[in-house]
Each structure stands twice: as C-alpha cells, then as structure tokens.
C-alpha cells in the first residue's frame, strides 16, 4: 500500500496566516496538521508516501524529510492547480505499481479508527453527515446504503453525507484511467478536476465503492474550526504540556501546549492555548489561541486569536509594527 497526500493548496481561507506558512504545517495542540495524518498512517503500517506539493511546497518537503527520515517519500510538484484528481494523476508513475493506494488530503484531521479502511475488501471512502453539504463532495446512497452517485459541491444536494478527504482505492490502474478520461475530455466541476469526479467515473464503470463513517472530522480551513480543533485535542491526553517549566510571575491555566525555550513573564496563559517554540510573552493575557514560533506578545489581551511565526503584537495603545502573516482583531468576537 502507498499513501498519496495532496498538499498543494494555498489555504486561501486562512490568509494572511498562509501567505508564508502552508496550511498543513499550522500547529494544532502543538502538532502540525500534516503530522496527525502521517502518524495515523504510520500506525497502520504505511511506509511509502507520495506528497503532491505546490504552494510553499519546499517547506512541506523540508519538514517531512526532517521529521520522518525513516519513510520512503516522493514529492511531486503541481505547478498549476487544476484540482485534486489532476494533482494525484500527476504522481501516477510513483504509485501505478501499488496493489492499492490510500489517499488523505493534507489539510484536515480525521479522528477515526482507520483499520476499517485497511481491512476493507473493496474501495472505500470516509464520510460524515454535515449541516451544509454544498461545500463538499457529496455521496448519494440508495435505501440499502449502496453508493449510487458522487457529486462535487452540488448547488442542490440530494444528500448531507459529505466526503471527508480519506479514500482507499484497490483498482489503481482503473483509477488512473478515470482521472485521465476526465482530463482528456475536459470533464470539470466548478472549473477543476476534483477527485470526486474521478471516483464517480469509476462508479459508472462498475467499481464498487463503500462509504465508511468517521467519528470526527476537523476541516481546519477556517480560523474558528482551527481553534475549536486545538481546544478539543488539548483536552485529550498526550497533547498538553503537563509540567511546564517555572516562568517569572506567570499563571498557566491548563490545558495548554508550550513549545521549547519560551520566555513568559507577568502573564496569564490558558486555557486552550498552543504556543510555539522560542516565543516571548510579557504582560499578556492569552486564552483559546494559537501562537506561532518566535512570536512576541506583550501588553495585550488575546482571545480566540491565531498569531503566526515571527509575528510581534502588543500595546494597549494600539501602536502596531507588524509584518506579513499576521491578523489582529481588537473589536471582533469576545
């Protein structure tokens, strides 16, 4: 089995944070989104990975090669973003010989027992019921639960069962042919070649697809979901910093995750705060937030905030000197 991880997207909904930081590397409870995915697959015994990179792709490559040197990794660059099926088709030479492939989109966290995927004797895809399915690939089933249709971002959905971005494909050569068929015939949805359409083509050709429901799915493309996910995982064992070093006149309200070599003084931190490494915080109150590496936070109260790497913010007088990749909101939600 080989794992295909598309991570070429630009993370438009998280800008300005993603101007200089690829979305898969944004930390959640002290761990990049991408690592949640890779670690899950490693636990299932997967060692061969194909990453499709694009926007800020070298940062993703550097991270993977540094943190996971034991894996067999290949990186394929999608220079022109034409959709997920196009991205995966570009890497076909690196998985065409695989007995089966597992595809995970690199910008969401799937909280589920994936052994059902691995053990399935047919191709399968992860699904979850959502309130508004118009922003996702939608699965249409008959009364017996068999998949009868797949539609990408339908204007009028016939189902509220959304695909969550994890798939297992057993008919690898047929999958490559389905992608190529849509590309050759310019069969697009919303101007792109999504994976949904390639799977729909396989369904038309008689391939059986099975829907497997996942427990939780965190699509971290929006700030509020990113912060909610951060809080959920900090509440779980193994993510929060249980025994932080002593800081000068600082109060830590657990759960929090504090990176290495941070300098925190005269501050209150928590609950549900992730702080990156080498960050300095003085005279600040921070809760329900994610702070990046090498940030400087001083003389300010922050709640429900995301601050990127190397950002500096502070001063109740609202005198600011900040660079790119920073969002400041002094009058937003409480």
């Amino acid at each position: 089995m080989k794992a295909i991880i598309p991570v070429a997207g630009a993370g438009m909904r998280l800008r300005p944070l993603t101007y200089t930081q690829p979305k898969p590397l944004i930390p959640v409870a002290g761990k990049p989104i991408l690592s949640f995915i890779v670690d899950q697959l490693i636990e299932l015994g997967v060692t061969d990975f194909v990453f499709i990179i694009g926007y800020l792709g070298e940062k993703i490559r550097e991270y993977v090669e540094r943190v996971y040197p034991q894996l067999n990794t290949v990186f394929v660059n999608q220079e022109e973003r034409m959709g997920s099926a196009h991205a995966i088709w570009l890497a076909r030479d690196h998985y065409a010989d695989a007995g089966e492939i597992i595809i995970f989109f690199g910008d969401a966290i799937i909280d589920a027992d994936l052994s059902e995927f691995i053990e399935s004797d047919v191709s399968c895809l992860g699904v979850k019921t959502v309130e508004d399915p118009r922003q996702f690939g939608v699965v249409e089933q008959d009364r017996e639960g068999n998949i009868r249709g797949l539609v990408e971002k339908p204007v009028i959905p016939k189902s509220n069962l959304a695909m969550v971005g994890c798939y297992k494909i057993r008919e690898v050569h047929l999958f490559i042919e389905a992608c190529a068929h849509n590309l050759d015939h310019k069969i697009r949805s919303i101007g792109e070649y999504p994976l949904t359409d390639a799977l729909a083509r396989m369904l038309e050709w008689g391939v059986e697809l099975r829907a497997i429901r996942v427990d939780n799915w965190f699509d971290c493309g929006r700030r509020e979901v990113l912060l909610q996910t951060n809080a959920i995982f900090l509440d779980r064992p193994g993510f929060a910093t249980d025994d932080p070093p002593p800081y000068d006149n600082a109060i830590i309200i657990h759960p929090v995750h504090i990176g290495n070599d941070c300098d925190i003084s005269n501050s209150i931190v928590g609950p549900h705060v992730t702080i990156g490494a080498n960050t300095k915080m003085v005279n600040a109150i921070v809760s329900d937030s994610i702070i990046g590496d090498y940030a400087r936070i001083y003389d300010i109260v922050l709640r429900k905030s995301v601050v990127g790497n190397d950002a500096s913010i502070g001063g109740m007088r609202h005198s600011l000197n900040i660079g790119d990749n920073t969002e400041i909101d002094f009058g937003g939600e409480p």
Side-chain angles (χ1 to χ4, degrees):
M1 176 179 289
K2 289 188 177 182
I4 318 298
I5 315 291
V7 284
M12 301 290 289
R13 293 178 296 172
L14 281 176
R15 286 185 170 177
L17 192 68
T18 50
Y19 276 126
T20 56
Q21 175 85 318
K23 182 167 62 171
L25 296 187
I26 292 175
V28 171
K31 183 175 180 177
I33 294 171
L34 184 60
S35 278
F36 281 87
I37 299 165
V38 175
D39 290 349
Q40 279 181 302
L41 294 173
I42 289 174
E43 289 180 5
L44 294 173
V46 180
T47 58
D48 294 331
F49 287 77
V50 180
F51 295 90
I52 297 114
I53 58 176
Y55 180 75
L56 300 176
E58 284 306 310
K59 289 191 174 185
I60 292 176
R61 179 169 188 160
E62 185 278 331
Y63 175 80
V64 170
E65 292 181 338
R66 173 172 53 85
V67 177
Y68 300 102
Q70 77 279 17
L71 299 180
N72 301 318
T73 56
V74 173
F75 298 87
V76 176
N77 189 41
Q78 185 189 27
E79 295 181 1
E80 184 179 3
R81 291 193 295 274
M82 298 172 59
S84 53
H86 172 257
I88 298 168
W89 177 81
L90 286 175
R92 62 196 181 280
D93 290 344
H94 300 288
Y95 63 81
D97 60 342
E100 55 188 16
I101 59 175
I102 189 165
I103 301 171
F104 260 72
F105 287 102
D107 57 0
I109 298 173
I110 309 296
D111 185 22
D113 179 7
L114 298 180
S115 59
E116 190 174 357
F117 275 82
I118 301 300
E119 297 168 1
S120 174
D121 56 355
V122 300
S123 295
C124 53
L125 46 90
V127 297
K128 186 171 177 60
T129 301
V130 298
E131 291 184 4
D132 185 2
R134 292 174 297 175
Q135 298 302 313
F136 308 102
V138 172
V139 176
E140 299 174 357
Q141 295 178 305
D142 60 21
R143 293 182 178 180
E144 286 72 37
N146 301 309
I147 297 178
R148 289 293 176 255
L150 301 171
V151 184
E152 179 69 12
K153 297 180 180 178
V155 176
I156 304 177
K158 296 181 180 180
S159 163
N160 62 351
L161 202 59
M163 288 183 280
V164 301
C166 58
Y167 313 82
K168 187 179 83 166
I169 307 298
R170 293 174 58 89
E171 300 82 3
V172 177
H173 288 288
L174 200 60
F175 169 73
I176 295 173
E177 290 179 19
C179 293
H181 176 87
N182 289 354
L183 289 165
D184 291 343
H185 294 84
K186 296 184 172 20
I187 301 174
R188 299 183 178 95
S189 290
I190 319 177
E192 293 185 338
Y193 298 100
L195 179 58
T196 303
D197 289 356
L199 297 176
R201 191 71 51 221
M202 294 178 66
L203 199 63
E204 291 178 3
W205 292 347
V207 174
E208 181 182 356
L209 297 176
R210 178 180 300 162
I212 297 178
R213 292 182 179 266
V214 303
D215 299 325
N216 292 297
W217 166 45
F218 305 100
D219 182 14
C220 299
R222 293 178 289 119
R223 185 187 69 168
E224 57 270 27
V225 177
L226 185 68
L227 292 173
Q228 179 188 35
T229 307
N230 181 65
I232 289 172
F233 279 94
L234 283 175
D235 282 332
R236 298 182 180 183
F239 289 93
T241 302
D242 293 328
D243 189 20
Y247 298 111
D248 183 21
N249 194 31
I251 297 174
I252 308 298
I253 304 174
H254 295 283
V256 299
H257 178 94
I258 302 176
N260 296 327
D261 301 317
C262 289
D263 182 3
I264 302 174
S265 61
N266 303 320
S267 297
I268 301 174
V269 179
H272 300 130
V273 173
T274 288
I275 301 177
N278 298 286
T279 284
K280 184 173 184 178
M281 186 177 297
V282 182
N283 301 326
I285 300 175
V286 181
S287 63
D288 300 296
S289 298
I290 297 174
I291 312 296
D293 298 336
Y294 293 94
R296 296 295 178 264
I297 310 295
Y298 60 95
D299 299 330
I300 199 167
V301 177
L302 292 177
R303 185 168 181 244
K304 295 184 179 180
S305 301
V306 181
V307 178
N309 298 333
D310 298 294
S312 180
I313 176 172
M316 298 303 292
R317 297 181 300 255
H318 298 180
S319 175
L320 304 176
N321 182 18
I322 61 174
D324 292 340
N325 194 28
T326 303
E327 180 178 351
I328 302 174
D329 183 358
F330 288 117
E333 295 182 1

